[in-house]
Amino acid sequence: MASSSSELRTPPLSVEHTKGVNGLEKVTLRVPRGFSAEIYLFGGHVTSWKNDHGDELLFLSNKAIFKPPKPIRGGIPICFPQFSNLGTLEAHGFARNRFWKVDTNPSLAPTSSNAYVDLVLTPSEEDMKLWSYSFEFRLRVALGLDGNLVLTSRVRNIDAKPFTFTFAYHTYFSVSDISEVRVEGLETLDFFDNTKNRERFTEQGDAIVFEGEVDKIYLTTPNKVCILDHERKRTFVINKEGLPDAVVWNPWDKKAKAMVDLGDDEYKHMVCVEPAAIEKPITLKPNEEWKGRMELFAVPSSYCSGQLDPKKVLMSS
Ligand code: BG6
């Protein structure tokens, strides 16, 4: 049947399952105005989020190695059940380098107001040797009609004993030049400095700027944090729920050079701001469920943090 011209002009929400780099399975979400997102089943890992001009909003390293078990450098790795090396597991846990499945029995209701995919991770026998707890980790990645990207994680304890975990959405944002970037919303807060043996300090009253390596875990942060990219005239707005902490990371030149999957100068074009639950680990009793949600917007810099609702601001910055 022939489509009418208005149908042709307005493509529907779409969710496409294809193969990505090295034949790894990926899902592409698209919404009518032209925004898109890509999610690899390896890691349950968002690797791309583009605006309606096709501009990439997340940073993905040119040297990213799409070869399991090496996690993908860039995008949004999921750190679970451990952030960093703050426990006995490999750094940032194992969720970021396991194969997730498409969730055929999602706990979240279906919706027609965004394009989304539901993924699920359950531990293998090998995982149970590393971390001896049964869990179901359900992740919905949704792209809203206005291009907002929403990640909702639900972890359920299906074991007979309680367990405790830490978590982060290790989000790499694409920026024009790290020296021109400011992070707002973390002023005057306490943080652990990872570059100083996790000593506790209090941040000054000014927005965070970058003049060298930064690796800090900000504690009990507000639910909204903004990243201002002056050169690109773009502001990222992060809204988070159930994730009290926020990690800010840029490796700067020396550490970047030491990383095989990051180009020597690529640190200039990325900043990680990672909604997280670290200081107070989450404990779930049998049958209990935890939820952590992050919503990302990209808005023109004329948007002034705290004054406008990003949902009402056009995202094509
Ligand atoms: C950050 C940590 O979240 O991730 C840093 O705070 C760490 O300490 C960085 O270096 C990258 O970790 P990885 O394991 O992906 O190289």
Side-chain angles (χ1 to χ4, degrees), residues 96-268:
R96 66 175 178 164
N97 62 3
R98 294 298 186 270
F99 284 92
W100 293 56
K101 293 197 169 82
V102 172
D103 188 359
T104 49
N105 185 24
S107 53
L108 286 173
T111 154
S112 55
S113 60
N114 52 35
Y116 64 91
V117 61
D118 287 299
L119 301 181
V120 63
L121 179 72
T122 50
S124 66
E125 272 178 31
E126 289 305 304
D127 296 337
M128 295 282 290
K129 285 181 199 156
L130 298 168
W131 201 66
S132 62
Y133 304 101
S134 273
F135 64 86
E136 279 170 356
F137 188 143
R138 298 196 133 78
L139 170 69
R140 172 170 291 186
V141 181
L143 186 64
L145 294 176
D146 292 331
N148 49 316
L149 184 70
V150 185
L151 274 71
T152 309
S153 288
R154 287 160 184 257
V155 177
R156 175 169 286 277
N157 182 341
I158 54 165
D159 209 292
K161 53 191 184 299
F163 62 69
T164 297
F165 65 91
T166 51
F167 176 92
Y169 287 121
H170 195 313
T171 315
Y172 289 72
F173 293 90
S174 168
V175 293
S176 54
D177 175 357
I178 187 68
S179 310
E180 300 290 321
V181 166
R182 291 151 55 92
V183 177
E184 289 187 358
L186 305 174
E187 305 82 11
T188 71
L189 298 179
D190 280 10
F191 64 88
F192 293 128
D193 194 336
N194 280 329
T195 66
K196 297 192 174 110
N197 295 321
R198 296 218 170 90
E199 221 183 302
R200 190 173 180 130
F201 296 94
T202 303
E203 193 54 78
Q204 310 282 311
D206 301 325
I208 292 148
V209 291
F210 298 83
E211 292 162 347
E213 182 190 359
V214 173
D215 191 354
K216 298 175 176 177
I217 304 170
Y218 289 89
L219 309 172
T220 320
T221 61
N223 282 338
K224 179 165 147 191
V225 179
C226 296
I227 303 167
L228 284 75
D229 183 342
H230 289 295
E231 210 169 294
R232 241 177 227 157
K233 299 189 172 49
R234 176 184 293 148
T235 296
F236 292 106
V237 182
I238 306 170
N239 284 334
K240 56 191 182 63
E241 286 167 32
L243 298 161
D245 306 321
V247 182
V248 178
W249 180 59
N250 183 290
W252 220 252
D253 55 353
K254 280 203 193 76
K255 288 219 170 131
K257 280 203 176 89
M259 294 161 75
V260 288
D261 56 352
L262 190 68
D264 289 358
D265 284 335
E266 283 191 309
Y267 74 93
K268 292 178 184 164

